[in-house]
């Protein structure tokens, strides 16, 4: 049978419509489309696609179930490895992960794994009558007295909390902000990830028994040492990479220059686009330059359009090929009218006599020799200075881990740039009983890698607590289970 | 959508850390007092924050589920009762909404203690200067400086007598108390810099000055002491959102370097602060704040 080379297109809100609202851009497959797309899969024996997935979702299995219309079974299969499929289906950079390895990609377009994943997860949500799904697996009542503190409610923290709660531990998530989800709430805008989907996933983790305490900043409200001495048996640090990098060029503190984090937090977390119904104000921009070309930068441009900016541009010092954002989001931004000033670097912000940004001086760049990251290094072209008029400049050139935990936890080993050092196999840090994962360890990465780190750490924490208290360690192989069977409980 | 505040029950004061943190805080307003027409005091149930709060730190507060996050100084922390005290001046929409919360109700979100604690040492003779509602936040620092062995001279300034708050409490904490009012309705007529300059000119040895209050007052204190080279620490109040170093909205320039006030401050060397920049940044949302204030005032009626 000859295979269809092209994947099913994703239905979208038309660009001219969607830039006027915050509703989801990609509308999701219809049932027919999901079936048709799933049926493209070759069910490869060697499962090359699975290698590209950081949490090893059994892609051929769930796609085959979807191809037969068994969407609920497909969802169950997905959830074995990925507890947040509705989110991952939407935000994973699939072109660099699972879909990159799809065999069909060699001759045509790869199977749209992410889109099927999204459909299956949404289908399950829709057909569960608002029920967030009961966990029916085994919970060990013995474990309830052991407390695990999870610091941060982003994808890494939610994953650890969910997995440990399923095992039977008492898990408490501490979140610094007044709302949960980490970057999923304050960073990624709702037109990419609707809030009801995020809320549902968080309710699911709570339904497993995990408690969430908001407005607690670990390192300030309580320290990690206090958690350990105050009754918690283990701590998982999933504080992300939330500190914005600034450019350190003149004029950066003028009114009108913001970090990507501030811009997105005002809009996504504080809902300033609905000011004055909501209390947090927003200055309506006219001409916006967003500096950088990662996911944060794309999200900044597209939110700027939606709050009514007339002109929005990306200013990026390298070329198109080096832009780190998801391909789909770059394309979306382009369709929505975002301009791209590539090989361009701002060197100075210029203000009026009242301290408000009016323009930006930029330099043109060209690509030179590759740097450490293997990407060609941008080099300034002498004499190429020019002025760009803008009233709002958003700096989205990267984030680093917040130093709060590092500076308040004695003995916690970190790298030169502030990432927490862990044992890759267990997630344990240099302090026994303290584990870490996600962006706090890797620096800014992806939702699915943060979840993957959470999965590993959940196992590491379980093992640590069992060893500490001499509890039997359930092994993966049921065969070995027998030989270990006689109670070693304290 | 209608904003709403949370219902809550009282929590016990004496529990283990794990119990305390797992339960979270209710932020119930156990005591509400009006210190003047526009200045309100809340004593809040929050054993979590009370445990670790020290002088110079603040909380970020949200008055309701639609509300803005604003920073307020922790004016007192009672570790035994598990409470913290905040004192705020009603100046705009958020503080109006906060002032609407009644005794027995709860503030939905209170996060802290945030910021780097004030540096407290035995400097020798220290002057503590407070202006307006800033007097409320001067209290924990004055107390700490006194306990560290300093001779403490406190100078409190306000526009008029009715705005001079906490006079008795501050008198008890200080070796010497000087009061000034702009209109001369109480204490010395004039502003706080008058007595400071007099003292410095008189040759009296002053080792340390801490000033907190409206920005123009702190700036004037810093300018007054600059020629004498007396270390002058001020507590800056730029616009904040998260208060944890995540947004960079609270950027100030101190000694030519960009600092995030919420984590690097709020205390800074007053002689190094770029005051003009701070003034501009504080006025960023002036137009929006005015509109919001009018809206909130209408709701009030
Ligand atoms: C704007 C933006 C868009 C992105 N788009 C994508 C995308 O499309 N696809 C993708 O895969 N990835 C994307 N990413 C990256 C992805 O979101 C992150 O890699 C991921 O969220 C990291 O998860 P985490 O759990 O490690 O940390 P985070 O999601 O950062 O969560 C950390 C949480 O910890 C809390 N916290 C921090 N310090 C403390 C403390 N001391 N005490 C208590 N709580 C604390 C924070 O408030 C936060 O809630 C994007 C990132 C950004 C910023
Ligand atoms: C570290 C710190 C501690 C503070 N402690 C106290 C205190 O204990 N008592 C007290 O009365 N005030 C305190 N303030 C000031 C207080 O935060 C503002 O008065 C309050 O935010 C005003 O909000 P509003 O909506 O009522 O008024 P608005 O009309 O919105 O604003 C009035 C003025 O307050 C400032 N402001 C507005 N929004 C914010 C914000 N999100 N963050 C900071 N400042 C803002 C602006 O300069 C503005 O011009 C403190 C500020 C800081 C930074
Ligand atoms: S979780 Fe992400 S990488 Fe893994 S299969 Fe799903 S979309 Fe692909
Ligand atoms: S590689 Fe592609 S075609 Fe093969 S099983 Fe995976 S998704 Fe299907
Ligand atoms: S308030 Fe956001 S960094 Fe200080």
């Amino acid at each position: 049978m000859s295979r269809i080379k092209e994947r099913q297109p994703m239905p979208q809100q038309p660009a001219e419509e969607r830039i006027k609202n915050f509703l989801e851009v990609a509308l999701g497959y219809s049932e027919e489309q999901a079936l048709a797309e799933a049926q493209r899969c070759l069910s490869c024996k060697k499962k090359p696609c699975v290698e590209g997935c950081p949490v090893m979702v059994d892609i051929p299995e769930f796609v085959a179930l979807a191809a037969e219309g068994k969407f609920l079974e497909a969802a169950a299969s997905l959830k074995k490895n990925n507890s947040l499929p509705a989110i991952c289906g939407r935000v994973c950079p699939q072109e660099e992960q699972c879909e990159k390895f799809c065999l069909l990609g060699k001759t045509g377009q790869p199977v749209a794994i992410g889109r099927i994943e999204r459909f299956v997860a949404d289908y399950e949500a829709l057909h569960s009558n608002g029920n967030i799904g009961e966990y029916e697996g085994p919970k060990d009542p013995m474990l309830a007295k052991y407390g695990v503190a999870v610091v941060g409610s982003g994808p890494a923290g939610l994953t650890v909390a969910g997995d440990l709660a399923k095992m039977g531990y008492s898990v408490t998530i501490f979140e610094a902000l007044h709302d949960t989800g980490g970057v999923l709430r304050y960073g990624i805008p709702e037109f990419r990830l609707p809030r009801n989907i995020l809320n549902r996933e968080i309710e699911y983790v709570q339904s497993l028994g995990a408690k969430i305490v908001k407005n607690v900043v670990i390192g300030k409200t309580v320290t990690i040492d206090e958690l350990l001495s105050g009754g918690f048996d283990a701590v998982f640090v999933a504080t992300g990479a939330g500190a914005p990098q600034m450019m350190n060029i003149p004029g950066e503190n003028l009114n009108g220059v913001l970090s990507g984090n501030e811009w997105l937090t005002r809009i996504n977390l504080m809902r300033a686009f609905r000011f004055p119904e909501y209390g947090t104000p927003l200055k309506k921009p006219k001409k916006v330059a967003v500096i950088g070309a990662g996911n944060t930068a794309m999200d900044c441009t597209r939110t700027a359009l939606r709050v009514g900016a007339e002109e929005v541009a990306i200013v990026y010092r390298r070329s198109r090929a080096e832009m780190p954002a998801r391909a789909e989001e770059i394309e979306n931004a382009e369709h929505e009218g975002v301009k791209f000033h590539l090989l361009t670097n701002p060197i100075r912000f210029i203000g009026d006599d009242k301290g408000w940004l009016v323009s930006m001086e930029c330099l043109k760049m060209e690509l030179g020799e590759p740097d450490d990251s293997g990407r060609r290094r941008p080099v300034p072209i002498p004499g190429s200075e020019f002025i760009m008029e803008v009233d709002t400049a958003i700096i989205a050139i990267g984030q680093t881990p917040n130093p709060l935990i590092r500076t308040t936890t004695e003995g916690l080993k970190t790298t030169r740039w502030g990432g927490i050092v862990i044992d890759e196999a267990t997630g344990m840090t240099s302090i026994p009983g303290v584990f870490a994962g996600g962006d706090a360890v890797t620096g800014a990465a992806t939702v699915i890698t943060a979840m993957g780190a959470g999965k590993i750490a959940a196992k590491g924490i379980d093992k640590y607590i069992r060893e500490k208290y001499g509890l039997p360690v359930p092994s993966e192989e049921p065969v070995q289970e027998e030989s270990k069977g006689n109670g070693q409980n304290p | 959508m209608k904003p709403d505040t949370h219902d809550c029950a009282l929590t016990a004061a004496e529990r283990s850390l794990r119990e305390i943190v797992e339960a979270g805080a209710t932020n119930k307003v156990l005591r509400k007092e009006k210190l003047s027409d526009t200045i309100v005091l809340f004593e809040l149930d929050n054993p979590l924050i009370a445990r670790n709060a020290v002088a110079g730190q603040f909380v970020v507060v949200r008055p309701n589920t639609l509300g803005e996050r604003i920073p307020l100084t922790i004016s007192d922390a009672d570790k035994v009762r598990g409470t913290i005290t905040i004192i705020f001046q009603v100046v705009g929409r958020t503080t109006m909404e906060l002032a609407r919360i009644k005794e027995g109700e709860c503030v939905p979100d209170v996060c802290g203690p945030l910021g780097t604690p004030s540096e407290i040492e035995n400097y020798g003779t220290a002057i503590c200067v407070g202006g307006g509602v800033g007097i409320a936040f001067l209290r924990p620092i004055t107390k700490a400086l006194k306990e560290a062995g300093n001779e403490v001279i406190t100078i409190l300034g306000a526009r008029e007598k009715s705005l001079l708050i906490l006079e008795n409490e501050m008198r008890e904490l200080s070796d010497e108390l000087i009061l000034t009012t702009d209109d001369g309705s109480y204490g010395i007529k004039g502003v706080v810099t008058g007595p400071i300059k007099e003292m410095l000119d008189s040759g009296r040895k002053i080792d340390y000055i801490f000033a907190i209050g409206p920005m123009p007052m702190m700036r004037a204190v810093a300018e007054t002491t600059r020629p004498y080279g007396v270390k002058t620490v001020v507590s800056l109040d730029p616009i904040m959102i998260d208060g944890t170093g995540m947004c960079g909205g609270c950027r100030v320039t101190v000694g030519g370097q960009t600092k995030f006030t919420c984590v690097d401050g709020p205390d800074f060397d007053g002689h190094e602060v770029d005051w003009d920049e701070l003034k501009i940044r504080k006025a960023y949302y002036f137009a929006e704040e005015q509109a919001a204030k009018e809206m909130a005032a209408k709701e009030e009626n």
Side-chain angles (χ1 to χ4, degrees):
Chain A
M1 182 172 67
S2 85
R3 290 273 159 182
I4 303 161
K5 287 218 163 114
E6 310 230 311
R7 51 166 68 184
Q8 289 287 318
M10 177 57 109
Q12 288 189 330
Q13 267 199 81
E16 61 282 6
E17 282 296 315
R18 70 192 192 223
I19 60 168
K20 295 184 210 131
N21 64 52
F22 273 81
L23 301 177
E24 193 165 20
V25 166
L27 301 171
Y29 278 167
S30 64
E31 201 168 317
E32 295 71 41
Q33 280 184 298
L35 280 170
E37 184 61 28
Q39 284 160 6
R40 290 180 65 222
C41 172
L42 305 169
S43 298
C44 311
K45 279 255 151 50
K46 284 196 173 154
K47 309 184 179 186
C49 45
V50 176
E51 250 172 77
C53 172
V55 294
M56 310 271 276
V57 164
D58 191 336
I59 297 165
E61 179 181 282
F62 99 80
V63 173
L65 288 164
E68 292 173 42
K70 295 179 178 163
F71 298 122
L72 292 175
E73 278 108 316
S77 159
L78 255 170
K79 282 201 160 171
K80 282 187 292 186
N81 299 60
N82 178 349
S83 39
L84 310 171
I87 295 175
C88 293
R90 286 172 166 82
V91 305
C92 266
Q94 289 101 4
E95 74 272 12
E96 286 171 22
Q97 297 179 341
C98 51
E99 293 174 13
K100 183 177 176 179
F101 295 87
C102 173
L103 213 64
L104 284 184
K106 296 216 159 100
T107 49
Q109 288 184 322
V111 175
I113 301 166
R115 294 173 182 177
I116 303 172
E117 180 167 324
R118 167 187 163 149
F119 176 84
V120 164
D122 287 358
Y123 182 95
E124 190 206 22
L126 199 68
H127 292 80
S128 56
N129 299 324
N131 185 338
I132 38 180
E134 293 281 299
Y135 174 68
E136 280 141 16
K139 249 192 190 188
D140 186 345
M142 284 286 306
L143 297 178
K145 64 171 181 276
Y146 303 105
V148 180
V150 173
V151 188
S153 64
L158 289 174
T159 305
V160 163
D163 282 8
L164 289 173
K166 274 186 201 165
M167 294 177 202
Y169 289 99
S170 293
V171 184
T172 310
I173 302 180
F174 296 103
E175 169 54 51
L177 294 171
H178 62 264
D179 211 343
T180 46
V183 169
L184 303 179
R185 190 174 311 267
Y186 78 73
I188 299 180
E190 58 197 90
F191 55 81
R192 285 218 283 135
L193 179 59
R195 292 304 177 246
N196 59 343
I197 287 166
L198 175 56
N199 293 342
R200 194 186 135 89
E201 302 295 3
I202 289 166
E203 279 164 29
Y204 175 68
V205 172
Q206 285 175 299
S207 79
L208 296 171
K211 286 183 279 294
I212 300 181
V213 184
K214 295 177 243 183
N215 298 311
V216 172
V217 184
I218 302 300
K220 286 284 177 189
T221 316
V222 272
T223 62
I224 289 188
D225 294 339
E226 287 175 313
L227 289 174
L228 288 175
S229 61
F232 287 94
D233 298 290
V235 179
F236 179 66
V237 182
T239 46
Q245 270 174 31
M246 302 305 286
M247 301 192 67
N248 298 316
I249 60 175
E252 197 161 46
N253 295 344
L254 288 165
N255 283 356
V257 185
L258 299 87
S259 76
N261 271 5
E262 178 178 356
W263 176 258
L264 292 172
T265 300
R266 275 186 188 275
I267 293 174
N268 298 334
L269 178 71
M270 306 310 299
R271 311 192 77 68
F273 65 101
R274 283 166 68 178
F275 176 84
E277 181 194 356
Y278 282 78
T280 304
L282 185 75
K283 270 270 178 269
K284 288 278 156 72
K286 287 199 184 72
K287 286 188 168 186
V288 183
V290 177
I291 300 146
N295 284 319
T296 307
M298 291 311 143
D299 286 342
C300 289
T301 60
R302 300 175 66 204
T303 46
L305 287 169
R306 283 161 178 75
V307 300
E310 289 156 17
E311 268 178 49
V312 181
I314 284 280
V315 176
Y316 182 49
R317 63 198 181 113
R318 299 181 196 250
S319 75
R320 187 163 195 118
E322 289 87 19
M323 300 207 294
R326 285 183 71 206
E328 187 182 326
E329 304 309 338
I330 296 172
E331 211 171 273
N332 279 332
E334 204 159 30
H335 289 164
E336 289 171 11
V338 173
K339 303 267 177 316
F340 290 80
H341 297 291
L342 303 174
L343 291 165
T344 304
N345 200 29
I347 51 172
R348 179 164 73 101
F349 297 106
I350 302 166
D352 63 12
D353 54 358
K354 298 205 176 66
W356 287 84
L357 178 71
V358 289
S359 62
M360 200 166 84
E361 184 173 350
C362 300
L363 260 182
K364 285 274 177 202
M365 314 291 276
E366 60 192 353
L367 291 182
E369 296 298 305
D371 62 14
D372 300 344
S373 71
R375 297 182 301 178
R376 290 176 65 194
R377 191 195 301 274
V379 204
I381 303 174
S384 66
E385 293 86 351
F386 71 102
I387 301 280
M388 189 185 293
E389 271 177 38
V390 286
D391 57 53
T392 304
I394 303 170
I395 300 173
I397 55 171
Q399 278 113 246
T400 53
N402 191 316
L404 251 178
I405 296 273
R406 181 174 11 123
T407 52
T408 55
T409 314
E410 219 176 299
L412 187 69
K413 255 205 210 134
T414 53
T415 63
R416 202 164 24 87
W417 51 268
I420 301 174
V421 177
I422 57 164
D423 169 2
E424 298 283 335
T426 61
M428 184 129 85
T429 66
S430 54
I431 304 176
V434 179
F435 297 74
D439 282 6
V441 168
T442 56
T446 62
V447 173
I448 190 74
T449 43
M451 284 180 45
K455 289 237 162 276
I456 293 173
K459 288 199 186 113
I461 291 169
D462 177 49
K463 182 164 168 275
Y464 168 81
I465 292 182
R466 284 176 186 276
E467 280 173 6
K468 185 171 159 189
Y469 294 101
L471 307 176
V473 181
S475 106
E476 312 247 310
E477 317 296 333
V479 194
Q480 286 172 12
E481 189 80 77
E482 294 201 351
S483 58
K484 280 194 188 169
N486 40 0
Q488 307 166 359
N489 291 342
Chain B
M1 214 192 283
K2 268 217 149 83
D4 69 315
T5 42
H6 290 200
D7 290 332
C8 56
L10 242 185
T11 60
E14 249 25 88
R15 283 168 301 164
S16 83
L17 175 68
R18 184 172 152 193
E19 280 171 329
I20 294 175
V21 291
E22 281 181 348
T26 68
N27 302 314
K28 186 175 187 140
V29 181
L30 300 179
R31 181 161 63 99
K32 178 179 180 178
E33 261 176 54
K34 269 197 128 179
L35 301 186
S36 80
D37 269 358
T38 56
I39 300 178
V40 180
L41 174 151
F42 279 174
E43 185 180 352
L44 301 173
D45 171 63
N46 195 317
L48 228 79
I49 298 178
R51 278 182 67 252
N52 282 340
V54 291
Q57 290 189 295
F58 62 93
V59 286
V60 165
V61 172
R62 221 164 58 114
N64 55 57
T65 47
L66 308 184
E68 183 183 12
R69 294 169 66 97
I70 61 160
L72 295 173
T73 305
I74 301 169
S75 162
D76 205 0
D78 187 329
K79 295 187 193 335
V80 180
R81 271 166 64 82
T83 64
I84 59 165
T85 300
I86 52 174
I87 298 179
F88 57 95
Q89 182 154 32
V90 177
V91 291
R93 171 182 176 166
T94 311
T95 41
M96 279 163 101
E97 289 174 342
L98 202 58
R100 257 180 242 159
I101 298 177
K102 300 189 188 82
E103 202 166 86
E105 291 180 345
C106 297
V107 183
D109 298 295
V110 181
C111 176
L114 301 169
T116 303
S118 297
E119 261 175 48
I120 303 292
E121 279 175 38
N122 189 351
Y123 297 100
T125 303
I127 305 184
C128 294
V129 193
V133 68
I135 297 170
F137 335 133
L138 192 60
R139 181 166 59 178
I141 289 151
T142 310
K143 199 165 150 188
L145 282 171
K146 185 72 204 151
E147 278 165 8
N150 290 280
E151 183 190 2
V152 177
I153 306 164
T154 301
I155 307 179
L156 306 181
R159 272 205 322 276
E160 46 154 74
K161 183 171 186 227
S162 72
L163 297 173
L164 260 186
I165 55 171
L166 305 173
E167 180 189 336
N168 290 335
E169 286 93 328
M170 294 305 289
R171 190 182 302 280
E172 261 173 47
L173 292 174
S174 324
D175 294 292
E176 206 177 319
L177 181 76
I178 302 171
L179 305 170
T180 69
T181 50
D182 295 6
D183 64 354
S185 56
Y186 198 54
I188 302 170
K189 183 172 159 63
V191 290
V192 292
T193 47
I196 297 175
K197 187 155 179 359
E198 226 168 79
M199 246 181 274
L200 293 169
D201 281 338
S202 75
R204 185 161 173 186
K205 194 170 165 301
I206 306 293
D207 304 289
Y208 182 82
I209 297 186
F210 186 91
I212 184 164
M215 190 182 56
M217 179 219 109
M218 293 191 285
R219 184 177 190 169
V221 171
E223 290 317 326
T224 305
T225 62
R226 191 191 298 275
Y228 301 88
V230 180
K231 177 156 187 188
T232 303
V233 174
V234 294
S235 178
L236 300 185
D237 61 344
I239 292 175
M240 294 188 176
I241 304 182
D242 57 298
T244 65
M246 184 263 265
C247 75
C250 61
R251 305 197 294 290
V252 289
T253 302
V254 181
Q257 282 189 322
T258 293
K259 301 276 179 190
F260 287 10
T261 305
C262 68
V263 284
D264 301 324
D267 290 2
F268 292 104
D269 183 339
H271 296 150
E272 300 276 335
V273 172
D274 183 339
W275 295 100
D276 289 327
E277 180 187 280
L278 178 60
K279 187 174 169 198
I280 289 166
R281 289 189 65 79
K282 273 178 67 80
Y284 200 145
Y285 295 99
F286 184 75
E288 290 76 11
E289 284 159 0
Q290 290 309 310
K293 189 174 171 177
E294 276 162 33
M295 200 188 87
K298 259 194 217 132
E299 267 171 34
E300 207 106 303
N301 292 323

